[in-house]
PDB file of all heavy atoms in Angstrom:
ATOM      1  N   LYS M  44      40.477  41.586 -53.140  1.00 91.00           N
ATOM      2  CA  LYS M  44      41.087  40.687 -54.111  1.00 91.00           C
ATOM      3  C   LYS M  44      41.583  39.391 -53.492  1.00 91.00           C
ATOM      4  O   LYS M  44      42.144  38.552 -54.201  1.00 91.00           O
ATOM      5  CB  LYS M  44      42.246  41.383 -54.816  1.00 91.00           C
ATOM      6  CG  LYS M  44      41.849  42.605 -55.620  1.00 91.00           C
ATOM      7  CD  LYS M  44      43.064  43.230 -56.291  1.00 91.00           C
ATOM      8  CE  LYS M  44      42.669  44.426 -57.130  1.00 91.00           C
ATOM      9  NZ  LYS M  44      43.839  45.046 -57.789  1.00 91.00           N
ATOM     10  N   ASN M  45      41.390  39.227 -52.186  1.00 92.00           N
ATOM     11  CA  ASN M  45      41.912  38.055 -51.473  1.00 92.00           C
ATOM     12  C   ASN M  45      43.391  37.852 -51.767  1.00 92.00           C
ATOM     13  O   ASN M  45      43.850  36.733 -52.025  1.00 92.00           O
ATOM     14  CB  ASN M  45      41.117  36.799 -51.825  1.00 92.00           C
ATOM     15  CG  ASN M  45      39.742  36.765 -51.200  1.00 92.00           C
ATOM     16  OD1 ASN M  45      39.478  37.429 -50.195  1.00 92.00           O
ATOM     17  ND2 ASN M  45      38.841  35.989 -51.786  1.00 92.00           N
ATOM     18  N   THR M  46      44.127  38.938 -51.717  1.00 95.00           N
ATOM     19  CA  THR M  46      45.530  38.914 -52.097  1.00 95.00           C
ATOM     20  C   THR M  46      46.386  39.571 -51.020  1.00 95.00           C
ATOM     21  O   THR M  46      46.002  40.594 -50.448  1.00 95.00           O
ATOM     22  CB  THR M  46      45.748  39.630 -53.435  1.00 95.00           C
ATOM     23  OG1 THR M  46      44.999  38.961 -54.459  1.00 95.00           O
ATOM     24  CG2 THR M  46      47.216  39.628 -53.828  1.00 95.00           C
ATOM     25  N   VAL M  47      47.530  38.974 -50.765  1.00 96.00           N
ATOM     26  CA  VAL M  47      48.523  39.509 -49.842  1.00 96.00           C
ATOM     27  C   VAL M  47      49.789  39.798 -50.628  1.00 96.00           C
ATOM     28  O   VAL M  47      50.148  39.040 -51.540  1.00 96.00           O
ATOM     29  CB  VAL M  47      48.798  38.532 -48.687  1.00 96.00           C
ATOM     30  CG1 VAL M  47      49.931  39.038 -47.802  1.00 96.00           C
ATOM     31  CG2 VAL M  47      47.543  38.329 -47.861  1.00 96.00           C
ATOM     32  N   TYR M  48      50.470  40.871 -50.265  1.00 97.00           N
ATOM     33  CA  TYR M  48      51.672  41.295 -50.967  1.00 97.00           C
ATOM     34  C   TYR M  48      52.862  41.333 -50.020  1.00 97.00           C
ATOM     35  O   TYR M  48      52.719  41.525 -48.813  1.00 97.00           O
ATOM     36  CB  TYR M  48      51.476  42.684 -51.573  1.00 97.00           C
ATOM     37  CG  TYR M  48      50.289  42.799 -52.481  1.00 97.00           C
ATOM     38  CD1 TYR M  48      49.078  43.291 -52.007  1.00 97.00           C
ATOM     39  CD2 TYR M  48      50.371  42.413 -53.813  1.00 97.00           C
ATOM     40  CE1 TYR M  48      47.975  43.394 -52.836  1.00 97.00           C
ATOM     41  CE2 TYR M  48      49.271  42.512 -54.647  1.00 97.00           C
ATOM     42  CZ  TYR M  48      48.077  43.006 -54.156  1.00 97.00           C
ATOM     43  OH  TYR M  48      46.989  43.105 -54.988  1.00 97.00           O
ATOM     44  N   LEU M  49      54.026  41.168 -50.586  1.00 98.00           N
ATOM     45  CA  LEU M  49      55.265  41.368 -49.860  1.00 98.00           C
ATOM     46  C   LEU M  49      56.156  42.266 -50.703  1.00 98.00           C
ATOM     47  O   LEU M  49      56.703  41.830 -51.719  1.00 98.00           O
ATOM     48  CB  LEU M  49      55.969  40.043 -49.561  1.00 98.00           C
ATOM     49  CG  LEU M  49      57.221  40.148 -48.692  1.00 98.00           C
ATOM     50  CD1 LEU M  49      56.852  40.572 -47.269  1.00 98.00           C
ATOM     51  CD2 LEU M  49      57.983  38.832 -48.670  1.00 98.00           C
ATOM     52  N   GLN M  50      56.260  43.523 -50.297  1.00 98.00           N
ATOM     53  CA  GLN M  50      57.147  44.466 -50.964  1.00 98.00           C
ATOM     54  C   GLN M  50      58.533  44.313 -50.376  1.00 98.00           C
ATOM     55  O   GLN M  50      58.728  44.465 -49.167  1.00 98.00           O
ATOM     56  CB  GLN M  50      56.652  45.897 -50.769  1.00 98.00           C
ATOM     57  CG  GLN M  50      57.551  46.961 -51.387  1.00 98.00           C
ATOM     58  CD  GLN M  50      57.574  46.893 -52.890  1.00 98.00           C
ATOM     59  OE1 GLN M  50      56.523  46.758 -53.524  1.00 98.00           O
ATOM     60  NE2 GLN M  50      58.760  46.981 -53.483  1.00 98.00           N
ATOM     61  N   MET M  51      59.500  43.998 -51.209  1.00 98.00           N
ATOM     62  CA  MET M  51      60.859  43.735 -50.775  1.00 98.00           C
ATOM     63  C   MET M  51      61.778  44.788 -51.376  1.00 98.00           C
ATOM     64  O   MET M  51      61.947  44.848 -52.593  1.00 98.00           O
ATOM     65  CB  MET M  51      61.306  42.332 -51.187  1.00 98.00           C
ATOM     66  CG  MET M  51      60.377  41.230 -50.707  1.00 98.00           C
ATOM     67  SD  MET M  51      60.999  39.566 -51.089  1.00 98.00           S
ATOM     68  CE  MET M  51      60.922  39.626 -52.881  1.00 98.00           C
ATOM     69  N   ASN M  52      62.359  45.606 -50.523  1.00 98.00           N
ATOM     70  CA  ASN M  52      63.282  46.648 -50.946  1.00 98.00           C
ATOM     71  C   ASN M  52      64.686  46.342 -50.446  1.00 98.00           C
ATOM     72  O   ASN M  52      64.875  45.551 -49.523  1.00 98.00           O
ATOM     73  CB  ASN M  52      62.829  48.011 -50.417  1.00 98.00           C
ATOM     74  CG  ASN M  52      61.490  48.443 -50.950  1.00 98.00           C
ATOM     75  OD1 ASN M  52      61.112  48.116 -52.070  1.00 98.00           O
ATOM     76  ND2 ASN M  52      60.753  49.212 -50.143  1.00 98.00           N
ATOM     77  N   SER M  53      65.660  46.993 -51.045  1.00 98.00           N
ATOM     78  CA  SER M  53      67.058  46.831 -50.646  1.00 98.00           C
ATOM     79  C   SER M  53      67.447  45.369 -50.538  1.00 98.00           C
ATOM     80  O   SER M  53      68.034  44.927 -49.543  1.00 98.00           O
ATOM     81  CB  SER M  53      67.308  47.559 -49.317  1.00 98.00           C
ATOM     82  OG  SER M  53      67.005  48.932 -49.421  1.00 98.00           O
ATOM     83  N   LEU M  54      67.132  44.617 -51.555  1.00 98.00           N
ATOM     84  CA  LEU M  54      67.371  43.177 -51.526  1.00 98.00           C
ATOM     85  C   LEU M  54      68.860  42.864 -51.447  1.00 98.00           C
ATOM     86  O   LEU M  54      69.691  43.567 -52.023  1.00 98.00           O
ATOM     87  CB  LEU M  54      66.758  42.518 -52.751  1.00 98.00           C
ATOM     88  CG  LEU M  54      65.240  42.355 -52.678  1.00 98.00           C
ATOM     89  CD1 LEU M  54      64.657  42.090 -54.059  1.00 98.00           C
ATOM     90  CD2 LEU M  54      64.880  41.213 -51.727  1.00 98.00           C
ATOM     91  N   LYS M  55      69.154  41.794 -50.720  1.00 98.00           N
ATOM     92  CA  LYS M  55      70.512  41.334 -50.505  1.00 98.00           C
ATOM     93  C   LYS M  55      70.653  39.915 -51.038  1.00 98.00           C
ATOM     94  O   LYS M  55      69.670  39.188 -51.125  1.00 98.00           O
ATOM     95  CB  LYS M  55      70.852  41.344 -49.010  1.00 98.00           C
ATOM     96  CG  LYS M  55      70.661  42.682 -48.323  1.00 98.00           C
ATOM     97  CD  LYS M  55      70.888  42.550 -46.827  1.00 98.00           C
ATOM     98  CE  LYS M  55      70.681  43.872 -46.123  1.00 98.00           C
ATOM     99  NZ  LYS M  55      70.892  43.742 -44.658  1.00 98.00           N
ATOM    100  N   PRO M  56      71.866  39.499 -51.374  1.00 98.00           N
ATOM    101  CA  PRO M  56      72.053  38.119 -51.828  1.00 98.00           C
ATOM    102  C   PRO M  56      71.511  37.085 -50.837  1.00 98.00           C
ATOM    103  O   PRO M  56      71.011  36.037 -51.265  1.00 98.00           O
ATOM    104  CB  PRO M  56      73.569  38.008 -51.985  1.00 98.00           C
ATOM    105  CG  PRO M  56      73.996  39.388 -52.331  1.00 98.00           C
ATOM    106  CD  PRO M  56      73.109  40.285 -51.512  1.00 98.00           C
ATOM    107  N   GLU M  57      71.591  37.365 -49.547  1.00 97.00           N
ATOM    108  CA  GLU M  57      71.087  36.434 -48.554  1.00 97.00           C
ATOM    109  C   GLU M  57      69.568  36.338 -48.527  1.00 97.00           C
ATOM    110  O   GLU M  57      69.015  35.486 -47.828  1.00 97.00           O
ATOM    111  CB  GLU M  57      71.613  36.783 -47.150  1.00 97.00           C
ATOM    112  CG  GLU M  57      71.417  38.235 -46.767  1.00 97.00           C
ATOM    113  CD  GLU M  57      72.661  39.076 -47.014  1.00 97.00           C
ATOM    114  OE1 GLU M  57      73.275  38.938 -48.084  1.00 97.00           O
ATOM    115  OE2 GLU M  57      73.016  39.867 -46.114  1.00 97.00           O
ATOM    116  N   ASP M  58      68.873  37.193 -49.277  1.00 98.00           N
ATOM    117  CA  ASP M  58      67.430  37.074 -49.435  1.00 98.00           C
ATOM    118  C   ASP M  58      67.050  36.038 -50.480  1.00 98.00           C
ATOM    119  O   ASP M  58      65.859  35.735 -50.638  1.00 98.00           O
ATOM    120  CB  ASP M  58      66.816  38.419 -49.822  1.00 98.00           C
ATOM    121  CG  ASP M  58      66.951  39.468 -48.733  1.00 98.00           C
ATOM    122  OD1 ASP M  58      66.752  39.134 -47.554  1.00 98.00           O
ATOM    123  OD2 ASP M  58      67.252  40.633 -49.079  1.00 98.00           O
ATOM    124  N   THR M  59      68.020  35.518 -51.199  1.00 98.00           N
ATOM    125  CA  THR M  59      67.756  34.513 -52.219  1.00 98.00           C
ATOM    126  C   THR M  59      67.114  33.284 -51.592  1.00 98.00           C
ATOM    127  O   THR M  59      67.661  32.692 -50.661  1.00 98.00           O
ATOM    128  CB  THR M  59      69.048  34.127 -52.942  1.00 98.00           C
ATOM    129  OG1 THR M  59      69.545  35.253 -53.666  1.00 98.00           O
ATOM    130  CG2 THR M  59      68.806  32.982 -53.922  1.00 98.00           C
ATOM    131  N   ALA M  60      65.948  32.904 -52.094  1.00 98.00           N
ATOM    132  CA  ALA M  60      65.203  31.780 -51.536  1.00 98.00           C
ATOM    133  C   ALA M  60      63.944  31.565 -52.350  1.00 98.00           C
ATOM    134  O   ALA M  60      63.575  32.396 -53.185  1.00 98.00           O
ATOM    135  CB  ALA M  60      64.827  32.050 -50.071  1.00 98.00           C
ATOM    136  N   VAL M  61      63.283  30.449 -52.093  1.00 98.00           N
ATOM    137  CA  VAL M  61      61.926  30.258 -52.555  1.00 98.00           C
ATOM    138  C   VAL M  61      61.002  30.839 -51.493  1.00 98.00           C
ATOM    139  O   VAL M  61      61.108  30.489 -50.311  1.00 98.00           O
ATOM    140  CB  VAL M  61      61.596  28.772 -52.793  1.00 98.00           C
ATOM    141  CG1 VAL M  61      60.138  28.609 -53.202  1.00 98.00           C
ATOM    142  CG2 VAL M  61      62.509  28.196 -53.863  1.00 98.00           C
ATOM    143  N   TYR M  62      60.115  31.719 -51.898  1.00 98.00           N
ATOM    144  CA  TYR M  62      59.206  32.383 -50.982  1.00 98.00           C
ATOM    145  C   TYR M  62      57.824  31.744 -51.068  1.00 98.00           C
ATOM    146  O   TYR M  62      57.270  31.584 -52.159  1.00 98.00           O
ATOM    147  CB  TYR M  62      59.116  33.872 -51.292  1.00 98.00           C
ATOM    148  CG  TYR M  62      60.317  34.641 -50.816  1.00 98.00           C
ATOM    149  CD1 TYR M  62      61.544  34.501 -51.447  1.00 98.00           C
ATOM    150  CD2 TYR M  62      60.232  35.496 -49.714  1.00 98.00           C
ATOM    151  CE1 TYR M  62      62.656  35.183 -50.994  1.00 98.00           C
ATOM    152  CE2 TYR M  62      61.340  36.184 -49.263  1.00 98.00           C
ATOM    153  CZ  TYR M  62      62.549  36.031 -49.902  1.00 98.00           C
ATOM    154  OH  TYR M  62      63.648  36.712 -49.456  1.00 98.00           O
ATOM    155  N   PHE M  63      57.275  31.390 -49.912  1.00 98.00           N
ATOM    156  CA  PHE M  63      55.978  30.743 -49.807  1.00 98.00           C
ATOM    157  C   PHE M  63      55.013  31.617 -49.023  1.00 98.00           C
ATOM    158  O   PHE M  63      55.396  32.225 -48.023  1.00 98.00           O
ATOM    159  CB  PHE M  63      56.089  29.402 -49.067  1.00 98.00           C
ATOM    160  CG  PHE M  63      57.004  28.402 -49.702  1.00 98.00           C
ATOM    161  CD1 PHE M  63      58.345  28.362 -49.377  1.00 98.00           C
ATOM    162  CD2 PHE M  63      56.512  27.488 -50.614  1.00 98.00           C
ATOM    163  CE1 PHE M  63      59.191  27.429 -49.944  1.00 98.00           C
ATOM    164  CE2 PHE M  63      57.344  26.547 -51.189  1.00 98.00           C
ATOM    165  CZ  PHE M  63      58.685  26.521 -50.856  1.00 98.00           C
ATOM    166  N   CYS M  64      53.768  31.664 -49.456  1.00 97.00           N
ATOM    167  CA  CYS M  64      52.737  32.233 -48.600  1.00 97.00           C
ATOM    168  C   CYS M  64      51.964  31.097 -47.938  1.00 97.00           C
ATOM    169  O   CYS M  64      51.916  29.973 -48.445  1.00 97.00           O
ATOM    170  CB  CYS M  64      51.805  33.176 -49.356  1.00 97.00           C
ATOM    171  SG  CYS M  64      50.810  32.424 -50.645  1.00 97.00           S
ATOM    172  N   ALA M  65      51.382  31.401 -46.785  1.00 96.00           N
ATOM    173  CA  ALA M  65      50.716  30.381 -45.995  1.00 96.00           C
ATOM    174  C   ALA M  65      49.570  31.002 -45.211  1.00 96.00           C
ATOM    175  O   ALA M  65      49.594  32.185 -44.866  1.00 96.00           O
ATOM    176  CB  ALA M  65      51.701  29.715 -45.030  1.00 96.00           C
ATOM    177  N   THR M  66      48.576  30.177 -44.915  1.00 94.00           N
ATOM    178  CA  THR M  66      47.460  30.599 -44.090  1.00 94.00           C
ATOM    179  C   THR M  66      46.886  29.384 -43.375  1.00 94.00           C
ATOM    180  O   THR M  66      47.232  28.244 -43.690  1.00 94.00           O
ATOM    181  CB  THR M  66      46.377  31.301 -44.929  1.00 94.00           C
ATOM    182  OG1 THR M  66      45.416  31.933 -44.077  1.00 94.00           O
ATOM    183  CG2 THR M  66      45.658  30.304 -45.831  1.00 94.00           C
ATOM    184  N   GLY M  67      46.008  29.625 -42.407  1.00 84.00           N
ATOM    185  CA  GLY M  67      45.434  28.490 -41.707  1.00 84.00           C
ATOM    186  C   GLY M  67      44.397  28.825 -40.665  1.00 84.00           C
ATOM    187  O   GLY M  67      43.741  27.941 -40.135  1.00 84.00           O
ATOM    188  N   GLY M  68      44.238  30.116 -40.368  1.00 77.00           N
ATOM    189  CA  GLY M  68      43.270  30.504 -39.365  1.00 77.00           C
ATOM    190  C   GLY M  68      43.496  31.904 -38.867  1.00 77.00           C
ATOM    191  O   GLY M  68      43.996  32.754 -39.602  1.00 77.00           O
ATOM    192  N   TRP M  69      43.140  32.120 -37.618  1.00 81.00           N
ATOM    193  CA  TRP M  69      43.186  33.452 -37.039  1.00 81.00           C
ATOM    194  C   TRP M  69      44.348  33.666 -36.084  1.00 81.00           C
ATOM    195  O   TRP M  69      44.498  34.766 -35.553  1.00 81.00           O
ATOM    196  CB  TRP M  69      41.877  33.734 -36.299  1.00 81.00           C
ATOM    197  CG  TRP M  69      40.681  33.746 -37.192  1.00 81.00           C
ATOM    198  CD1 TRP M  69      40.181  34.804 -37.883  1.00 81.00           C
ATOM    199  CD2 TRP M  69      39.832  32.638 -37.497  1.00 81.00           C
ATOM    200  NE1 TRP M  69      39.071  34.434 -38.601  1.00 81.00           N
ATOM    201  CE2 TRP M  69      38.831  33.110 -38.375  1.00 81.00           C
ATOM    202  CE3 TRP M  69      39.815  31.301 -37.107  1.00 81.00           C
ATOM    203  CZ2 TRP M  69      37.834  32.280 -38.880  1.00 81.00           C
ATOM    204  CZ3 TRP M  69      38.814  30.480 -37.605  1.00 81.00           C
ATOM    205  CH2 TRP M  69      37.845  30.971 -38.479  1.00 81.00           C
ATOM    206  N   ARG M  70      45.173  32.658 -35.860  1.00 84.00           N
ATOM    207  CA  ARG M  70      46.262  32.762 -34.906  1.00 84.00           C
ATOM    208  C   ARG M  70      47.503  33.309 -35.578  1.00 84.00           C
ATOM    209  O   ARG M  70      47.944  32.803 -36.616  1.00 84.00           O
ATOM    210  CB  ARG M  70      46.554  31.404 -34.284  1.00 84.00           C
ATOM    211  CG  ARG M  70      47.700  31.418 -33.281  1.00 84.00           C
ATOM    212  CD  ARG M  70      47.924  30.050 -32.682  1.00 84.00           C
ATOM    213  NE  ARG M  70      46.786  29.625 -31.894  1.00 84.00           N
ATOM    214  CZ  ARG M  70      46.691  28.444 -31.306  1.00 84.00           C
ATOM    215  NH1 ARG M  70      47.680  27.566 -31.419  1.00 84.00           N
ATOM    216  NH2 ARG M  70      45.605  28.139 -30.611  1.00 84.00           N
ATOM    217  N   SER M  71      48.087  34.332 -35.000  1.00 90.00           N
ATOM    218  CA  SER M  71      49.348  34.889 -35.481  1.00 90.00           C
ATOM    219  C   SER M  71      50.499  34.078 -34.907  1.00 90.00           C
ATOM    220  O   SER M  71      50.644  33.956 -33.700  1.00 90.00           O
ATOM    221  CB  SER M  71      49.489  36.352 -35.064  1.00 90.00           C
ATOM    222  OG  SER M  71      48.502  37.159 -35.680  1.00 90.00           O
ATOM    223  N   SER M  72      51.323  33.534 -35.795  1.00 94.00           N
ATOM    224  CA  SER M  72      52.423  32.693 -35.350  1.00 94.00           C
ATOM    225  C   SER M  72      53.565  32.751 -36.345  1.00 94.00           C
ATOM    226  O   SER M  72      53.348  32.825 -37.554  1.00 94.00           O
ATOM    227  CB  SER M  72      51.963  31.245 -35.181  1.00 94.00           C
ATOM    228  OG  SER M  72      53.033  30.401 -34.820  1.00 94.00           O
ATOM    229  N   LYS M  73      54.790  32.699 -35.814  1.00 95.00           N
ATOM    230  CA  LYS M  73      55.985  32.600 -36.639  1.00 95.00           C
ATOM    231  C   LYS M  73      56.377  31.151 -36.901  1.00 95.00           C
ATOM    232  O   LYS M  73      57.365  30.902 -37.599  1.00 95.00           O
ATOM    233  CB  LYS M  73      57.145  33.331 -35.967  1.00 95.00           C
ATOM    234  CG  LYS M  73      56.899  34.823 -35.756  1.00 95.00           C
ATOM    235  CD  LYS M  73      58.082  35.468 -35.064  1.00 95.00           C
ATOM    236  CE  LYS M  73      57.839  36.951 -34.839  1.00 95.00           C
ATOM    237  NZ  LYS M  73      58.994  37.588 -34.161  1.00 95.00           N
TER     238      LYS M  73
END
């Protein structure tokens, strides 16, 4: 499906944010 998921459990108020997905190649980077 060309789809990535993020399952978020035990959510906290500090998790409040705009969440973005990103891609760009084969390199794993933070």
Side-chain angles (χ1 to χ4, degrees):
K44 298 180 178 180
N45 287 338
T46 299
V47 175
Y48 305 96
L49 185 68
Q50 178 67 45
M51 305 185 295
N52 297 329
S53 301
L54 283 163
K55 304 174 181 180
E57 51 263 45
D58 295 318
T59 295
V61 177
Y62 284 71
F63 301 89
C64 64
T66 191
W69 297 272
R70 179 179 295 177
S71 295
S72 177
K73 299 179 181 180

